[in-house]
Amino acid sequence: MKPRGFIVAVLLWAMSMGCGRRNAESSRPQPKAFGAAVVEVSGGQQLAIVGAPLDQPLVIQVNDAQGAPVAGAAVWLQVNGDAIVTPAAGLTGPDGQFSVGVALGSVAGRYQVVTATRDKSAKVIELRTDQIALGYQQDLGRQLNQSYCSRCHDPESTAERVSNHDNLKAKAHAFTEGSFLNTLSDADLSSIIAHGGPALNKSAEMPPYGATLHKADIEALIAYIRAVSDPPYRSKGLVYAKN
Amino acid sequence: MDFKRKLASAWRFLFADSGRAFGTLAVILLLCLAVVPVKHVFRESARYQAGYLRLIRHHSDAAPLERRFQAGIQQTWIPELGVVDRCTTCHVATKETSLMDVSTQPYRPHPAVPHSLTEFGCVMCHRGQGPATTVEDAHRAAKAGEQAVLPARYFAAGCGQCHQDSPTGTPQLNLGRSLMARYGCVNCHTLKTPEGVAMKASDEPPPLTHIAEKTTQQWIYAWLKNPQAYSAAATMPDFQLSDAAARDISAYLMAQSTPYLPADAPQTASAKAADASNVRFTEVQDAASVYGEAFCASCHAVQNAAGLMVGGDIGPELTRVGSKVKPEWLAQWVRNPKRYFPQTAMPHYRLTEKQAGLLTGFLRAKTDSDFLAKVNLEPATQEQIANGKALVNERGCAACHAINGIQRPDNFAPELSAVGSKPLSKIVFVGTVPHTLPDYLAAKVRQPHSFGEKLKMPQYTFTPSQVDAVVTALLAQTERAQTLPVTLRVRAPHVSDYKPAGRAGRLMEDMQCFSCHAINGRGGVMAPDLTAEGSAVQRPWLVSFLKNPNTLRPALIRRMPKFNVTDAEAETLADYILTVYQTPAFDSESLDAANFSSEDRDRGRQLFYSKYACQSCHIVDPQNDKGYIGPTLTQVGARLTAAWIFHYLKNPQALRPGTIEPNQNIGDDDTRALTAFLMAQKKSPAREAAKK
């Protein structure tokens, strides 16, 4: 009799654990309206060091089928790894917007914030935004980029820093330009930084930095380029020589 | 009864005779001793190590990974640093870069850092308890004197224990330290480096000894109530004073003020200021151009129509300056700021009377009627003044500002030299602040008053990342840092108190060259270092540049202003610079441009445009070249010496550390040809215009 009761108790406990998710879902606020799309207003693709809170909030907006903002729609957010979004759920404001703070996880790389809402037919609609966490190496690369590279490689001019991008015959690739930079291997990037454009049969307007930067600096720059690239860079992993 | 009988029979069964007793005891002893091997078999680290072996079993390079794996307790022991770290017992893969895609701890490889992992061990940067071999003991701080593992965002604090310099790779730590120097934290708190050198403030708060000459009690009151309402970028924090306290302090500051000009000083300045107070519409353009030509925006910011700040942050924001200063004071200040504040970073501009009048009027027009709209102060009473003095003492105003009749308080706030090792038992946590040292420091920096209304620490307006930076810099101030071997310490670059003497020295102090330029380790970073300038430039160019600085780097918005120096002054300065500020690396007269042949020049032109593509950053031919990152080189042959160009091309970083121009390893022949080509560029823009 007794062991059977014990087994029943264990089963009940296991089932209640299994239902945990549904319980969490039911704790979400009851929506007052339903939207048809989730769009990002601001705060995507921010850079910060690992584990740090982002300076700008992530602001998303729920729209209806006509593209008008929907107030009172329920949204909930999830993020991978040990990153945190606060608040993780809520109703959109009168302007249809919802603003959350994001603290990045402790491992360098991308953190994908998934914002979800339900439309009238209870279908889940999701919006994925990336935030980028920089480790020591990537952060060093970011500093070096600001000192040596961004003058030509960042086409955007600001009041404080005028871009030289448009003055070049061969336009320098922005470091976010993953469609091109992802096709270059680490070795290619390293040699074009160290030996200049001619190393890859490209323009001499890219000067050699091999005698100015250390090897570790160049590796840091490559790590930074890989971190900010859009679409994201996927390492090919170990490549073995073929016979 | 039954139970007693059973016990007795059991006793007989076990200990009936000496043979049985011996056997029984032996079994009990064996069981007791078995606890140790059992605990060993089920130890946490063995579980993690077994998990690692399961993880790598199907990995493509399982064989070498397994070969490098070592079972059992692993330990890094560095006696001279007092490091005994067993972290690698569970964190087995710290050196396995091929496992970079693994995201589960404790199996992640360590990301790339500048030091080898066995050089300093783990605890030096990560904190926690190195010798512990369970997760709980190693990561949490349970006993007195223990420290929890540091969250990832503060890791740069580990670097700051040895590094007093500003390594490129630790921007957060560097920012934190510069914020503490700029926002005056170190004026109240003593913060010593491990060498015992106290950190100095980088911002010089203005003296208040003559404040009544400069502004009104109404303005001081409004400023005290909320400095950021006057200037969003103000470094002075909000002391959250009550209306009465702000009234009394402003009354005292007005009462203690003394005149700064001698009684017999000519009053022409104030008369001119009155003239200039109403700038006629036709003169608005002229007035704005005086502001522009003096490059006031290099140091001072003004909010533009879009609400963005435009300009530097060395001097105060000027958006509402007309609501602040008295016209007579302003007129005197733009003529010669050193009369009011001899230590000011602002140069003596030697403006003409007309220019000074226009500038005064231009600045006076920058008013904000809202700022003082709600301030209604009755004339101050003696009681208010006395109370104000007490408040000034209590709030430590004199820790930053010079005030008549009040001594600068020593150690006004607790010393923070070892705050990064502050034991949790000595911290009073309030509210929902998590019980860790970083969380406590962050809460204190973010909102000091949450720890008590009576606390004297003022409210700063830091962004989240600035708070993190300050906390990182504070966490670097550990007790361990003070006990590390001296050989590990990386000192901050030496800040010299270099002071040029004589007539040239007086001129340089008067024009505040050091506010922007550094010479021999002293001075600002806005403009080029002039320590070796005498080797670089030619005398005629330098004299004319000092008299009328023209644009060298078109991409920069901060430029050298015109100081209206006389011919004699320009020549004195030029001679001094050319004689004294020479590099020991080479003789600036060693290369004569007259020896270059036309073949050299032609080859140099080819190299310039093709092999080295210098035109991507420099302009030689204004018609075709577009690059404007480096200085314009149209008349470089009249500006620089041949020897400087030659040695600069050989290694730019050696002559101008940190310059963006890379060392291209140019051979001697190519360098010579390039130098020949550049020395032939002597066109002056005026002559070219005349040709057209």
Side-chain angles (χ1 to χ4, degrees):
Chain A
M1 220 37 209
K2 259 185 190 170
R4 199 175 296 165
F6 178 70
I7 289 167
V8 169
V10 167
L11 277 174
L12 277 175
W13 173 77
M15 280 167 73
S16 74
M17 289 304 281
C19 299
R21 240 192 91 136
R22 198 178 299 164
N23 285 340
E25 207 161 300
S26 65
S27 73
R28 279 179 203 144
Q30 282 302 309
K32 295 174 189 146
F34 295 94
V38 193
V39 293
E40 177 194 323
V41 178
S42 68
Q45 293 273 348
Q46 290 186 64
L47 298 181
I49 60 166
V50 286
L54 298 177
D55 256 346
Q56 305 300 322
L58 171 66
V59 184
I60 59 95
Q61 182 173 324
V62 177
N63 287 343
D64 61 15
Q66 279 73 44
V70 176
V75 287
W76 60 97
L77 296 100
Q78 279 180 325
V79 62
N80 57 315
D82 51 349
I84 301 164
V85 281
T86 39
L91 296 179
T92 54
D95 51 358
Q97 295 186 353
F98 190 67
S99 168
V100 293
V102 182
L104 298 174
S106 54
V107 174
R110 272 158 203 271
Y111 288 87
Q112 195 168 56
V113 183
V114 183
T115 313
T117 187
R118 276 182 205 281
D119 68 2
K120 276 180 197 126
S121 56
K123 204 180 107 200
V124 175
I125 307 156
E126 287 183 347
L127 167 78
R128 290 162 193 275
T129 41
D130 275 3
Q131 310 290 355
I132 300 165
L134 306 176
Y136 169 81
Q137 219 183 5
Q138 292 87 349
D139 203 20
L140 173 61
R142 173 161 68 158
Q143 301 302 312
L144 294 166
N145 164 51
Q146 277 161 15
S147 326
Y148 296 105
C149 319
S150 66
R151 272 307 178 83
C152 292
H153 282 277
D154 182 355
E156 301 292 325
S157 286
T158 63
E160 294 285 310
R161 188 187 59 78
V162 184
S163 172
N164 195 39
H165 181 264
D166 294 342
N167 298 330
L168 302 174
K169 277 215 179 66
K171 299 286 176 250
H173 293 279
F175 287 168
T176 47
E177 204 185 309
S179 55
F180 171 72
L181 289 167
N182 289 351
T183 63
L184 298 181
S185 67
D186 285 5
D188 283 347
L189 280 176
S190 172
S191 73
I192 199 168
I193 296 171
H195 306 297
L200 290 192
N201 233 347
K202 290 178 166 290
S203 167
E205 285 178 308
M206 166 72 203
Y209 275 92
T212 310
L213 300 176
H214 298 287
K215 187 165 167 280
D217 293 339
I218 295 178
E219 283 166 4
L221 267 173
I222 296 173
Y224 172 74
I225 294 169
R226 298 309 195 195
V228 298
S229 133
D230 181 31
Y233 173 74
R234 284 186 209 294
S235 161
K236 294 196 175 65
L238 281 182
V239 180
Y240 293 99
K242 283 177 191 152
N243 290 325
Chain B
M1 277 297 118
D2 192 37
F3 173 72
K4 244 183 181 175
R5 230 178 32 236
K6 268 189 182 168
L7 198 71
S9 78
W11 182 260
R12 266 200 308 282
F13 177 73
L14 292 173
F15 298 102
D17 53 59
S18 57
R20 275 181 184 243
F22 179 74
T24 310
L25 279 176
V27 167
I28 291 171
L29 205 63
L30 199 70
L31 285 176
C32 289
L33 288 176
V35 168
V36 176
V38 165
K39 263 180 88 177
H40 183 72
V41 167
F42 291 105
R43 69 195 187 281
E44 233 176 344
S45 60
R47 218 166 61 232
Y48 285 119
Q49 290 184 344
Y52 176 66
L53 290 174
R54 274 198 304 279
L55 178 86
I56 59 173
R57 198 183 300 150
H58 302 294
H59 200 267
S60 56
D61 55 345
L65 285 174
E66 272 168 24
R67 201 167 56 239
R68 286 194 291 270
F69 167 75
Q70 285 178 312
I73 301 285
Q74 303 299 313
Q75 178 171 288
T76 309
W77 181 42
I78 311 168
E80 58 270 36
L81 303 182
V83 165
V84 182
D85 285 356
R86 295 178 180 156
C87 314
T88 48
T89 306
C90 298
H91 293 273
V92 273
T94 48
K95 290 178 185 168
E96 303 294 356
T97 44
S98 66
L99 296 179
M100 265 309 173
D101 51 339
V102 173
S103 58
T104 45
Q105 284 291 31
Y107 306 129
R108 275 187 56 78
H110 198 281
V113 283
H115 297 287
S116 102
L117 299 185
T118 42
E119 197 178 346
F120 292 105
C122 313
V123 168
M124 193 72 84
C125 296
H126 289 269
R127 308 203 178 178
Q129 283 54 252
T133 52
T134 66
V135 175
E136 187 70 22
D137 291 352
H139 297 81
R140 299 272 159 75
K143 302 191 193 82
E146 290 189 344
Q147 288 187 319
V149 163
L150 207 58
R153 59 211 254 212
Y154 304 118
F155 278 166
C159 314
Q161 295 178 107
C162 296
H163 285 275
Q164 298 301 325
D165 59 339
S166 316
T168 323
T170 59
Q172 199 193 17
L173 174 72
N174 309 346
L175 172 67
R177 285 186 173 152
S178 73
L179 285 172
M180 290 203 295
R182 182 171 164 76
Y183 284 82
C185 308
V186 294
N187 282 335
C188 289
H189 297 278
T190 308
L191 241 125
K192 286 185 186 153
T193 65
E195 284 99 55
V197 185
M199 210 189 260
K200 283 206 185 87
S202 61
D203 191 57
E204 177 103 42
L208 307 180
T209 44
H210 316 298
I211 185 79
E213 308 276 304
K214 179 177 179 179
T215 185
T216 59
Q217 192 192 348
Q218 280 74 14
W219 183 84
I220 301 178
Y221 172 86
W223 165 262
L224 285 171
K225 284 294 286 178
N226 186 358
Q228 277 68 35
Y230 174 77
S231 160
T235 49
M236 172 145 153
D238 185 350
F239 282 81
Q240 305 193 319
L241 299 167
S242 67
D243 290 357
R247 181 196 63 204
D248 294 356
I249 292 178
S250 58
Y252 174 69
L253 290 178
M254 294 302 280
Q256 58 85 43
S257 171
T258 54
Y260 73 105
L261 290 173
D264 55 344
Q267 292 299 307
T268 50
S270 52
K272 295 274 185 205
D275 288 349
S277 60
N278 294 312
V279 183
R280 283 184 300 281
F281 185 73
T282 50
E283 283 185 335
V284 168
Q285 206 63 40
D286 289 345
S289 73
V290 175
Y291 184 85
E293 278 163 19
F295 288 104
C296 302
S298 293
C299 297
H300 297 280
V302 169
Q303 216 169 9
N304 67 11
L308 295 171
M309 292 286 223
V310 180
D313 60 2
I314 293 182
E317 182 192 336
L318 297 179
T319 314
R320 302 173 180 87
V321 69
S323 303
K324 171 185 178 184
V325 297
K326 294 182 172 170
E328 312 83 59
W329 178 89
L330 184 60
Q332 190 61 252
W333 175 267
V334 298
R335 280 169 177 79
N336 187 0
K338 287 172 188 298
R339 293 187 81 168
Y340 178 79
F341 181 17
Q343 285 81 38
T344 180
M346 175 147 154
H348 176 196
Y349 268 96
R350 297 132 197 275
L351 298 172
T352 62
E353 280 301 308
K354 178 157 194 273
Q355 285 175 319
L358 284 169
L359 189 56
T360 309
F362 177 73
L363 292 173
R364 280 200 60 198
K366 295 190 170 298
T367 55
D368 180 354
S369 51
D370 293 346
F371 185 64
L372 296 174
K374 286 181 190 153
V375 183
N376 291 310
L377 294 178
E378 304 285 316
T381 63
Q382 281 307 314
E383 196 186 337
Q384 286 174 8
I385 293 171
N387 188 36
K389 183 169 186 176
L391 281 167
V392 165
N393 270 316
E394 188 194 311
R395 290 309 188 110
C397 308
C400 292
H401 298 278
I403 300 171
N404 289 321
I406 305 227
Q407 273 221 312
R408 187 179 189 280
D410 285 330
N411 299 324
F412 186 71
E415 178 166 345
L416 299 179
S417 302
V419 71
S421 303
K422 190 167 183 167
L424 292 184
S425 53
K426 286 193 182 167
I427 298 174
V428 182
F429 288 95
V430 294
T432 55
V433 178
H435 286 211
T436 72
L437 181 61
D439 285 309
Y440 162 74
L441 292 174
K444 195 85 192 257
V445 174
R446 205 178 292 128
Q447 218 177 12
H449 279 232
S450 65
F451 287 82
E453 288 298 317
K454 288 271 171 65
L455 280 191
K456 289 174 189 169
M457 180 161 157
Q459 175 70 47
Y460 285 87
T461 40
F462 291 136
T463 63
S465 57
Q466 284 177 324
V467 173
D468 273 7
V470 172
V471 173
T472 305
L474 288 173
L475 285 169
Q477 299 288 338
T478 59
E479 272 161 19
R480 189 194 274 272
Q482 294 165 6
T483 59
L484 287 174
V486 182
T487 47
L488 286 178
R489 287 183 193 153
V490 186
R491 281 154 210 244
H494 176 66
V495 179
S496 80
D497 48 2
Y498 167 73
K499 198 169 166 14
R503 207 187 307 159
R506 278 201 302 280
L507 276 169
M508 288 164 80
E509 291 294 339
D510 195 41
M511 293 190 283
Q512 283 294 329
C513 303
F514 293 102
S515 290
C516 303
H517 296 278
I519 303 175
N520 291 334
R522 174 193 162 198
V525 292
M526 196 202 287
D529 189 305
L530 300 181
T531 310
E533 193 67 9
S535 302
V537 295
Q538 300 179 21
R539 190 174 186 277
W541 176 85
L542 182 56
V543 172
S544 80
F545 183 79
L546 287 169
K547 279 161 65 183
N548 191 12
N550 53 351
T551 301
L552 288 176
R553 292 172 180 79
L556 294 187
I557 54 164
R558 315 223 188 291
R559 290 190 207 134
M560 173 124 154
K562 190 176 170 184
F563 289 109
N564 294 334
V565 291
T566 62
D567 289 359
E569 285 173 335
E571 283 178 25
T572 305
L573 273 175
D575 285 335
Y576 190 85
I577 290 171
L578 287 165
T579 316
V580 180
Y581 300 140
Q582 292 276 346
T583 172
F586 59 88
D587 177 2
S588 58
E589 290 163 13
S590 58
L591 211 58
D592 189 355
N595 295 339
F596 295 129
S597 65
S598 62
E599 290 90 72
D600 282 339
R601 283 193 280 280
D602 290 346
R603 212 166 76 78
R605 167 181 290 277
Q606 275 196 347
L607 291 169
F608 185 93
Y609 281 107
S610 57
K611 185 170 178 188
Y612 299 110
C614 311
Q615 77 279 11
S616 43
C617 294
H618 298 280
I619 295 170
V620 163
D621 172 8
Q623 308 299 318
N624 299 315
D625 304 344
K626 289 184 191 155
Y628 49 45
I629 293 308
T632 305
L633 300 178
T634 45
Q635 42 177 337
V636 66
R639 178 164 71 92
L640 298 178
T641 63
W644 174 271
I645 297 181
F646 183 88
H647 287 95
Y648 189 83
L649 286 169
K650 291 292 283 183
N651 188 355
Q653 307 279 332
L655 294 180
R656 288 230 188 282
T659 178
I660 179 172
E661 177 158 349
N663 175 357
Q664 307 207 42
N665 269 333
I666 309 180
D668 279 1
D669 285 350
D670 283 8
T671 314
R672 207 183 135 79
L674 281 167
T675 309
F677 170 64
L678 290 174
M679 284 309 287
Q681 308 304 320
K682 297 193 176 183
K683 271 172 267 162
S684 85
R687 209 179 301 157
E688 209 176 10
K691 251 192 263 171
K692 279 180 199 162

